Amino acid sequence: MSATHETDILLAAIAVVENRKSDPMTKYLTARATAETRPIHLVTKDGLKGWLKKQPVAVRRWVEASAFDAAAGRFTLLPDEKKGVGGVLAGIDDADMLWSCAALPAALPFGRYAIEGELSGEKASALALGWLLGTYRFDRYKSFDKDFSSLVWPKEADQQAVVAMAEGICLTRDLINTPAEDMGPAELAEAAKTLAKTHKARFKAVVGEDLLKKNYPSIHAVGRAAEKAPRLIDLKWGSKGPRITLVGKGVCFDSGGLDLKSSGGMKMMKKDMGGSAQVLGLASMIMASRLPVRLRVLIPAVENAVSGNAFRPLDVLDTRKGLTVEVGNTDAEGRLVLSDALTEACSESPDLLIDFATLTGAARVALGTDLPAMFCNDDAVAAMLLRHGETEGDPLWRMPLHKPYRQQLESKVADLCNISNGPYGGAITAALFLEHFVEGATPWVHFDIMAWNLGSRPGRPEGGESMGVRATFGMIKEFIAKA
Ligand code: BES
Ligand code: ZN
Ligand code: ZN
């Protein structure tokens, strides 16, 4: 099978998973150059002088006159002998290849381009991924006239890996960007089922009243007030290698429940299934790359709604684990639904358990919106994650599971309260709440993420975002190799 044919199959799969209106974005990376393909010369700030020295006087004058300084993300068009566009000179940061060229597909005159010169495999792959992400837009409800320029695959790039990454990231973004009306628990389950079909994974879901029969009481309690039935989504794939289980918060809309959010606080809460969107994107990468793992994905999918049968402040809920939980605030619903999912995850004693959740506003106060808070009960896993965060350009920050704060979750009437008794350290106390439902010996990572870009940067438009997933994917590959 030729490389192009393989890519075509991957493209077809992307179209299915993403349910996109337009062609898959991977059409913007092409196999062949044409006679009209223009070269892109990459140059760093430090390398600009040397590059200019080797150019004809006319080019040198042109670049100097255009005040091009080779800052990452900047570019200038280069003239040919007939005063047409002969090529592009693009500024890059060697340490940030991923985003350095992400503005180009939208900004360059429409056409086909090719990178001039040699790149390392890593840099070529990063640049290619950045190019693809620079062509992402959420087009489910709106048509766009302007098309993007395409790039000839840099020959050193790992095409399979780049396509798998782009596919996963765009799946995550599309899921988050879709409004709650069209991305309720049922639609989220449908997206997981489609992904399962694409990769021949096993899919099941426990829906509505069955959650009570099968002992998922807290998922049911949080989701029971909504028109759209709550459910636990369960996907399994692979038959050899370490057991890796991913859990994602799937609150399709978080009104806050009876302790209702303010209008400002509620506005963006279609993104409260952002954790589930991360784990589906990550699962997509893992399955497309055929990593030798026994993968399981668990998503408690609910809408935290207000209705006559909504759970109330100071209700005491049962959990799958058997711990009783007093509800201090119905807006701390994520940890409730995750508790049952984590208990189920631990029943199979996975070798690695990773959850992603848009869990607390406090994590954003601590670290800002771009930096995922990472909690981990295993120093070796945490160190691997931080390292891959650096090398993948997917930064994250470790926060402590500080034991003495556990007492802040004590309740006078139940085993545990779902909120802490003070205003400080909210991301830590939320993580400590989750820790009650993780078997002590299970290596566990918890990500508290924003899952949203508040503004637009090249390759990272305002809206749903993949955060911590590329770092985790890199860590998982190393974890498997060491297992
Ligand atoms: N989904 C929110 C957390 C959130 C808000 C994440 C904004 C990202 C951006 C979560 O369910 C929630 O409302 N948490 C409360 C917990 C509090 C009631 C203890 C919070 O963070 O305020
Ligand atoms: Zn909430
Ligand atoms: Zn929430």
Side-chain angles (χ1 to χ4, degrees):
M1 191 158 56
S2 73
T4 11
H5 184 53
E6 254 185 277
T7 314
D8 286 343
I9 294 172
L10 282 166
L11 295 187
I14 294 166
V16 172
V17 171
E18 293 182 13
N19 188 22
R20 298 179 73 79
K21 214 162 48 179
S22 59
D23 292 336
M25 63 197 296
T26 28
K27 79 171 185 185
Y28 299 112
L29 281 172
T30 70
R32 274 171 294 277
T34 59
E36 287 78 43
T37 298
R38 293 167 178 146
I40 299 178
H41 306 268
L42 300 175
V43 60
T44 60
K45 271 193 148 177
D46 294 340
L48 180 60
K49 246 193 182 157
W51 187 85
L52 284 174
K53 263 194 202 145
K54 288 187 245 150
Q55 304 308 310
V57 190
V59 170
R60 207 179 312 149
R61 288 221 181 106
W62 174 264
V63 172
E64 280 162 4
S66 61
F68 175 75
D69 63 356
R74 294 255 178 84
F75 73 92
T76 185
L77 300 176
L78 298 172
D80 64 9
E81 302 83 49
K82 295 180 205 133
K83 303 218 165 106
V85 178
V88 178
L89 185 60
I92 52 157
D93 175 353
D94 263 339
D96 191 21
M97 287 303 276
L98 178 57
W99 305 120
S100 283
C101 293
L104 298 183
L108 291 177
F110 180 74
R112 193 177 288 202
Y113 295 85
I115 302 296
E116 191 71 13
E118 297 273 308
L119 286 173
S120 70
E122 254 167 49
K123 282 186 181 164
S125 294
L127 187 148
L129 178 59
W131 189 281
L132 283 186
L133 295 177
T135 69
Y136 175 83
R137 57 191 167 196
F138 182 55
D139 59 5
R140 178 162 170 170
Y141 306 96
K142 185 175 171 162
S143 299
F144 298 86
D145 293 334
K146 195 168 176 256
D147 203 0
F148 297 104
S149 290
S150 53
L151 182 73
V152 177
W153 273 105
K155 65 176 180 302
E156 306 85 353
D158 181 340
Q159 297 194 14
Q160 185 282 327
V162 170
V163 172
M165 285 271 181
E167 186 181 342
I169 293 168
C170 295
L171 172 62
T172 298
R173 290 176 175 180
D174 280 349
L175 291 172
I176 299 172
N177 287 334
T178 305
E181 177 65 9
D182 293 330
M183 190 49 66
E187 290 88 357
L188 187 54
E190 206 49 45
K193 195 173 179 181
T194 306
L195 182 67
K197 261 194 203 145
T198 305
H199 297 285
K200 297 198 169 64
R202 287 152 283 161
F203 169 91
K204 69 174 192 187
V206 182
V207 183
E209 296 301 302
D210 277 355
L211 287 167
L212 290 179
K213 279 189 213 134
K214 303 224 160 104
N215 192 27
Y216 296 99
S218 54
I219 299 175
H220 183 270
V222 172
R224 74 187 182 207
E227 277 292 319
K228 302 177 175 191
R231 61 204 68 206
L232 178 64
I233 297 163
D234 191 348
L235 181 153
K236 282 182 176 174
W237 177 87
S239 54
K240 56 177 188 296
R243 283 183 194 276
I244 299 187
T245 299
L246 309 176
V247 175
K249 172 176 171 181
V251 176
C252 294
F253 190 76
D254 183 8
S255 69
L258 285 169
D259 285 357
L260 201 66
K261 286 184 183 293
S262 66
S263 59
M266 197 187 301
K267 191 165 186 188
M268 274 204 301
M269 284 300 131
K270 70 171 182 181
K271 79 169 176 80
D272 213 21
M273 36 59 74
S276 69
Q278 311 296 321
V279 298
L280 289 175
L282 178 54
S284 166
M285 291 176 196
I286 290 171
M287 295 189 290
S289 309
R290 308 214 157 283
L291 296 191
V293 289
R294 281 173 290 177
L295 177 69
R296 188 177 191 192
V297 179
L298 286 166
I299 297 172
V302 302
E303 181 179 344
N304 189 18
V306 177
S307 170
N309 67 341
F311 76 125
R312 312 161 191 83
L314 297 197
D315 278 353
V316 176
L317 307 184
D318 279 328
T319 60
R320 183 171 185 78
K321 175 131 188 181
L323 292 173
T324 54
V325 178
E326 185 182 22
V327 178
N329 192 313
T330 61
D331 199 7
E333 83 298 337
R335 60 196 81 181
L336 295 172
V337 298
L338 287 170
S339 70
D340 281 357
L342 290 170
T343 302
E344 173 53 29
C346 287
S347 72
E348 290 190 333
S349 307
D351 299 296
L352 187 56
L353 172 60
I354 306 170
D355 80 70
F356 283 81
T358 50
L359 202 62
T360 68
R364 309 288 64 82
V365 173
L367 298 177
T369 56
D370 284 349
L371 210 47
M374 182 266 287
F375 297 83
C376 186
N377 62 1
D378 183 310
D379 288 343
V381 171
M384 268 196 273
L385 258 175
L386 291 170
R387 191 154 30 76
H388 285 281
E390 291 261 319
T391 53
E392 301 291 330
D394 189 17
L396 35 105
W397 203 260
R398 189 177 185 188
M399 303 247 286
L401 290 158
H402 188 56
K403 287 265 173 328
Y405 291 174
R406 282 169 76 110
Q407 61 161 56
Q408 293 180 32
L409 292 167
E410 281 169 12
S411 158
K412 291 200 173 69
V413 301
D415 295 324
L416 208 56
C417 185
N418 79 328
I419 59 167
S420 88
N421 57 18
Y424 302 114
I428 298 175
T429 48
L432 289 170
F433 181 94
L434 297 182
E435 197 184 24
H436 281 88
F437 300 89
V438 175
E439 288 303 322
T442 306
W444 166 60
V445 183
H446 159 57
F447 283 105
D448 192 336
I449 54 162
M450 180 68 171
W452 190 268
N453 293 322
L454 287 176
S456 292
R457 289 162 292 182
R460 288 175 281 186
E462 183 179 333
E465 186 57 292
S466 171
M467 293 185 168
V469 166
R470 285 179 295 110
T472 304
F473 183 66
M475 181 274 282
I476 286 176
K477 284 194 283 187
E478 188 180 341
F479 185 89
I480 296 168
K482 285 182 171 163

